[in-house]
Amino acid sequence: MTPPHPAPGYREALDTLNEALTGDPERPELEFEEMPAPQRLAPFSAALSAAVVRDDVELAVGRLILLHDPQGRPGWDGQYRLVAYIRADLEPEIADDPLIGSVAWSWLIEALDEAGYAAESGTITRAVSESFGGKEDEPATTELELRASWSPAGTDLRAHVRAWTEVMCMAAGLPPRGVRDLKDVR
């Protein structure tokens, strides 16, 4: 059996995904790197990881995976699928808010509106970790995990990368893009 060939737009999708590796001048807190992509999910794939780092503290981490199957897949609504993961520490009072899952999902959907997408799905998880025994002095931690996938409307993925990183920054507690935090104004 002859292995499939990528669709003509795959090179553009890959190139625009990899542009993120050069950084984002509007978001200097973001650190990107290429990572191995899962090989069994689609014939062609690529992946990025990123972290939101401020004052040498990692506030959030994430992965964005591009999947491409020239034949398409059920539920994909096309030949391409983006799979995103974001994990961020939360303040306990924010984690207690019963609407935080809906709010985080709305961040993603609003961020993706500029990009164009279809067939979105995902989950939001809030986790509380408490320490016991020899670790009882460690404070409880709370975190948010977003796992989502969607089909991009085209092969230029710049706006999709921007949407993913914007949600990651918001989950990390940074102000929206273009808004300056007053404590940063000197």
Side-chain angles (χ1 to χ4, degrees), residues 53-122:
V53 179
R54 199 171 213 190
D55 299 325
D56 295 325
V57 175
E58 190 174 81
L59 303 173
V61 295
R63 295 184 300 269
L64 185 64
I65 301 167
L66 167 64
L67 303 174
H68 171 54
D69 187 335
Q71 305 298 311
R73 296 275 175 100
W76 277 21
D77 196 24
Q79 299 176 332
Y80 299 91
R81 191 78 177 163
L82 289 167
V83 179
Y85 169 79
I86 296 170
R87 183 188 52 76
D89 292 333
L90 293 178
E91 298 294 326
E93 59 275 2
I94 294 173
D96 286 341
D97 185 337
L99 297 177
I100 190 61
S102 297
V103 169
W105 187 256
S106 73
W107 292 339
L108 178 66
I109 297 306
E110 288 172 18
L112 285 173
D113 280 343
E114 174 189 333
Y117 66 96
E120 72 283 356
S121 66

Side-chain angles (χ1 to χ4, degrees), residues 29 54-55 180-186:
E29 304 89 356
R54 199 171 213 190
D55 299 325
R180 292 192 56 195
D181 194 332
L182 290 177
K183 65 183 170 203
D184 292 338
V185 178
R186 295 186 169 103

